């Protein structure tokens, strides 16, 4: 199970009789950013025509000249805001009335404020950071296809700020493949006969696999990671068949490499210096074929996850000690 360089699904540009090739998409984003250039490049792989503008005047001028089918906007834009831009586009004529929008808010407070202020942008068309290029690309594709997007991003936990502090305090984000965790993930993969077993840590915008058997230790966008749901729900998460699960069916990790179909993940807790414990990641099983998961298997996974938590705690303590002494950790 090895992810390709392009994690996004190479889905056909025709679906349900709708052809999106050649449609125009306008990105209201800062032009000279890696995010904008990567998104433009990926959308062009779907044979879309993409224009990038970063201020209100250039966005409105481009819209009047090219009549885009869909406009992606940051909520706050140089010279104005997304709601006002959408209103002006709607007034540009018949094509403007049919234009689709995706608006990215900086945080949940801005998201709720934007939704309350606007009745022309559907609630489902509002997104909140952090958001990956892969997720916006999929949302653009599905919007143009007039099809529901079967990829639901996990919600951000209410204690996210403190959780990220606890993750930083663990000193584990720079640790790769510690032998103790490797042994446990190796046993888990063999015991359950799955394609991969992993120990993951959920950062602000990505997931790090600090130990993995059967899967490359890569950084995965947070909104594509099933373990983000473990952290959000604070509970065991089971996906018996991702293609039949509306939360994940359109995910790039399902539609494309590593073509995941099965996931079972247990939360990993870590105690912070404030005395509270936070879920910072997961111990999980993955496979490329659907699977059932019975009560006995659940108990076995709980046992292995407990061992992994203990090992994680010991490694974290050593890493923290090394940091205090100014010595390189594992």
């Amino acid at each position: 199970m090895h992810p390709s360089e392009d994690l996004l699904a190479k889905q056909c540009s025709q679906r349900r009789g709708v052809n999106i090739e050649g449609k125009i998409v306008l990105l209201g984003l800062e032009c000279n950013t890696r995010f904008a250039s990567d998104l433009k490049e990926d959308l062009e792989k779907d044979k879309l025509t993409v224009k990038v503008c970063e201020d209100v005047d250039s966005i409105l001028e481009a819209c009047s000249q090219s009549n885009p089918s869909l406009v992606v906007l940051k909520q706050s834009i140089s010279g104005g805001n997304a709601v006002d831009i959408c209103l002006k586009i709607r007034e540009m004529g018949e094509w403007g009335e049919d234009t689709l929008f995706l608006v990215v808010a900086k945080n949940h407070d801005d998201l709720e404020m934007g939704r309350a202020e606007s009745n022309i942008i559907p609630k489902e068309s509002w997104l909140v950071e952090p958001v990956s290029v892969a997720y916006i690309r999929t949302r653009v594709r599905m919007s143009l296809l007039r099809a529901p997007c079967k990829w639901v991003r996990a919600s951000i936990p209410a204690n996210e700020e403190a959780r990220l502090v606890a993750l930083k305090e663990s000193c584990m984000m720079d640790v790769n493949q510690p032998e103790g965790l490797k042994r446990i993930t190796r046993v888990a993969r063999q015991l359950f006969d799955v394609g991969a077993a992993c120990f993951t840590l959920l950062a602000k915008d990505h997931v790090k696999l600090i130990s993995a058997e059967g899967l490359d230790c890569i950084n995965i966008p947070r909104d594509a990671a099933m373990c983000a749901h473990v952290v959000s729900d604070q509970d065991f998460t089971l996906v018996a068949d991702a293609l039949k699960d509306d939360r994940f069916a359109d995910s790039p990790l399902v539609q494309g490499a590593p073509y995941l179909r099965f996931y079972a993940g247990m939360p990993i807790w870590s105690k912070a210096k404030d005395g509270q414990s936070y879920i910072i990641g997961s111990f999980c099983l993955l496979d490329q074929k659907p699977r059932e998961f019975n009560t006995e298997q659940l108990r076995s996974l709980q046992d292995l996850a407990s061992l992994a938590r203990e090992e994680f705690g010991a490694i974290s303590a050593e890493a923290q000690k090394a940091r205090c002494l100014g010595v390189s950790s594992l």
Side-chain angles (χ1 to χ4, degrees), residues 15 36 42 75 81 91 94 124 135 147 154 166 194 197-198 203 226 234 254 256 304 307 327:
R15 179 172 170 176
D42 278 4
Q75 185 176 9
N81 63 74
E91 296 169 353
E94 184 176 343
E124 61 271 16
Y135 185 73
V194 292
C198 307
M226 294 178 180
Q234 299 187 42
V254 176
L304 286 173
L307 291 175
V327 179

Side-chain angles (χ1 to χ4, degrees), residues 96 103 116 136 212 222 243-244 255 268 276 297 315 325:
V103 179
I136 293 185
R222 177 171 178 158
L243 282 178
K244 296 180 180 179
Q255 292 289 336
I268 295 296
Q276 301 296 315
Q297 290 174 314
I315 298 171
L325 295 174

Side-chain angles (χ1 to χ4, degrees), residues 81-285:
N81 63 74
V83 173
D84 290 341
I85 291 174
C86 293
L87 283 170
K88 291 178 181 179
I89 292 174
R90 285 281 188 256
E91 296 169 353
M92 287 185 178
E94 184 176 343
W95 76 268
E97 296 176 1
D98 295 329
T99 302
L100 301 169
F101 299 107
L102 291 175
V103 179
V104 182
K106 187 174 183 179
N107 52 51
H108 279 280
D109 289 341
D110 288 350
L111 174 73
E112 295 304 321
M113 182 175 65
R115 284 176 169 176
E117 291 177 348
S118 173
N119 57 7
I120 66 168
I121 306 172
K123 286 188 176 182
E124 61 271 16
S125 295
W126 285 88
L127 312 177
V128 64
E129 297 181 3
V131 62
S132 67
V133 167
Y135 185 73
I136 293 185
R137 180 183 176 186
T138 299
R139 287 296 303 269
V140 167
R141 183 193 294 114
M142 294 301 137
S143 296
L144 292 174
L145 290 169
R146 308 285 175 164
C149 182
K150 296 181 179 181
W151 178 6
V152 179
R153 299 194 303 157
S155 60
I156 303 298
N159 63 356
E160 178 69 358
E161 185 175 344
R163 192 192 69 81
L164 291 175
V165 171
L167 177 60
K168 182 178 181 180
E169 289 176 354
S170 74
C171 298
M172 291 294 284
M173 286 299 289
D174 294 327
V175 174
N176 290 298
Q177 295 280 14
E179 185 56 37
L181 288 178
K182 281 182 65 177
R183 284 195 296 268
I184 298 172
T185 51
R186 185 161 56 243
V187 168
R189 184 188 183 195
Q190 295 172 350
L191 176 64
F192 292 98
D193 190 27
V194 292
C198 307
F199 190 108
T200 73
L201 296 178
L202 183 66
K204 181 179 179 179
D205 57 6
H206 70 281
V207 172
K208 180 173 182 179
L209 281 62
I210 66 168
S211 178
E213 286 292 321
L215 189 69
D216 287 344
C217 280
I218 60 169
N219 287 336
I220 298 171
R222 177 171 178 158
D223 50 18
M226 294 178 180
C227 74
H229 289 263
V230 176
V231 174
S232 176
D233 298 340
Q234 299 187 42
D235 201 357
F236 169 67
T237 296
L238 176 65
V239 182
D241 187 347
L243 282 178
K244 296 180 180 179
D245 192 315
D246 287 352
R247 296 171 298 172
F248 307 110
D250 285 327
S251 167
L253 301 183
V254 176
Q255 292 289 336
Y259 302 98
L260 298 179
R261 296 289 294 277
F262 170 81
Y263 174 90
M266 296 295 303
I268 295 296
W269 296 79
S270 181
K271 192 169 185 178
K273 292 180 180 178
D274 64 6
Q276 301 296 315
S277 292
Y278 301 92
I279 300 177
I280 59 173
S282 73
F283 185 80
C284 58
L285 310 172

